């Protein structure tokens, strides 16, 4: 079936062939909705990584891998007479038109805040339409989101209905308060590990709140910190190897010196 140019219809045909019970691929034949979820997450992260590295020449290939995941789910849905790819397109198109009345229906908003408020109201109505018992703004936030992302999303939802600090100082004060509570738990002669974990969680949640108030994405901020640490630590490893030293045998002061030098070298 190799050809110079492929269309979306060709991709759908390829997917159906891969799932063909007689002549299809054995691996593709065995997959289910649940089994391909890890692959979907992996492909989404690879798209994000490509953009982070600014390797935009690689982006069409990575986006294709992510699109294939959508096509795979659509094929499974078609086989089970649940939905097909056209239903996916219809659903997202209706949603985009519905959530953007200022673009498609001539509705006028006086500010970006009004647009955002309308967006949240529309989403609330959608939640109610799907589940009449969905009365909380937190109802449809997936529990299997990365923890930082879920915390950020929960905080944004709460902020949209007024549950938020209006100024930065109390946000920072809350971090200090949660750190003090961690230290109080550590000061006990008999430490309760569950309580310590609980208080540490509060510290992380409060830090996400600070990141959100500063209009940054916590996942992106932490990824940046991870990358910076990796770069500096690799420099430490290289310096140790050059000096013929084993980090496990170095004093804390020696290792700190290597770390400081790596920071100076990398800026």
């Amino acid at each position: 079936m190799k050809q110079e140019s492929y269309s979306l219809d060709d991709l759908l045909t390829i997917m159906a062939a891969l799932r063909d019970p007689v002549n299809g691929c054995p691996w593709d034949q065995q997959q289910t909705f649940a089994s391909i979820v890890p692959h979907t997450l992996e492909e989404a992260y690879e798209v994000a990584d490509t953009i982070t590295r600014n390797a935009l020449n690689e982006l069409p290939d990575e986006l294709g891998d992510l699109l294939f995941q959508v096509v795979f789910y659509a094929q499974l849905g078609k086989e089970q007479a649940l939905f097909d790819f056209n239903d996916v397109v219809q659903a997202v198109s209706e949603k985009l038109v519905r959530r953007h009345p200022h673009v498609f229906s001539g509705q006028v908003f006086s500010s970006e805040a009004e647009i955002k408020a309308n967006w949240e109201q529309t989403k609330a109505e959608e939640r109610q339409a799907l589940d009449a018992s969905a009365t909380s703004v937190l109802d449809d936030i997936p529990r299997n989101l990365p923890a930082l992302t879920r915390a950020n999303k929960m905080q944004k939802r709460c902020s949209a209905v007024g549950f938020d600090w209006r100024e930065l100082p109390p946000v920072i004060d809350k971090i200090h308060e949660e750190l003090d509570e961690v230290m109080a738990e550590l000061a006990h002669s008999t430490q309760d590990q569950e309580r310590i974990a609980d208080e540490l969680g509060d510290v992380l949640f409060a830090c996400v709140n600070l990141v959100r108030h500063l209009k940054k994405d916590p996942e992106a901020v932490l990824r940046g910190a991870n990358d910076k640490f990796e770069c500096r630590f690799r420099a430490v490893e290289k310096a140790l190897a050059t000096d013929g030293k084993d980090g496990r045998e170095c004093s804390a002061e020696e290792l700190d010196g290597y770390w400081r030098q790596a920071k100076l070298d990398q800026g």
Side-chain angles (χ1 to χ4, degrees), residues 96-264:
L96 289 170
V97 170
R98 185 171 58 249
R99 292 182 179 179
H100 295 83
H102 52 297
V103 176
F104 300 105
S105 303
Q107 190 169 345
V108 177
F109 298 106
S110 62
S111 66
E112 186 176 340
E114 284 192 7
I115 294 175
K116 184 176 179 181
N118 178 77
W119 175 277
E120 294 297 340
Q121 178 60 35
T122 303
K123 290 179 68 174
E125 292 170 357
E126 291 169 357
R127 287 193 293 270
Q128 279 278 291
L130 287 172
D131 182 2
S133 65
T135 58
S136 172
V137 295
L138 305 179
D139 277 331
D140 66 338
I141 298 179
R143 288 188 167 273
N144 58 352
L145 281 174
L148 286 178
T149 299
R150 186 163 184 258
N152 190 49
K153 197 171 186 68
M154 290 169 65
Q155 291 171 6
K156 284 184 175 180
R157 288 280 185 88
C158 293
S159 179
V161 295
F163 191 79
D164 199 3
W165 279 298
R166 269 68 171 180
E167 298 176 345
L168 197 58
V171 177
I172 297 172
D173 290 342
K174 188 63 176 175
I175 295 176
H176 291 299
E177 176 187 327
E178 299 298 353
L179 281 170
D180 288 342
E181 292 181 7
V182 171
M183 299 308 295
E185 287 297 327
L186 293 176
H188 293 161
S189 56
T190 302
Q191 294 181 354
D192 185 330
Q193 295 303 315
E194 289 188 6
R195 287 286 301 166
I196 291 173
D198 184 64
E199 298 297 350
L200 287 171
D202 290 342
V203 172
L204 290 174
F205 193 84
C207 287
V208 170
N209 202 28
L210 174 60
V211 174
R212 179 181 64 84
H213 271 265
L214 294 175
K215 302 187 185 307
K216 305 295 182 184
D217 175 70
E219 289 284 346
V221 168
L222 187 55
R223 278 199 301 272
N226 288 342
D227 291 343
K228 181 170 63 178
F229 177 86
E230 179 182 8
C231 187
R232 289 175 178 175
F233 185 74
R234 287 179 182 274
V236 169
E237 288 180 312
K238 185 176 180 179
L240 285 168
T242 298
D243 292 346
K245 293 184 178 181
D246 185 333
R248 291 165 294 187
E249 297 175 357
C250 292
S251 66
E253 290 75 14
E254 283 182 288
L255 292 175
D256 184 60
Y258 280 105
W259 180 259
R260 289 178 180 277
Q261 186 59 50
K263 288 179 65 176
L264 286 173

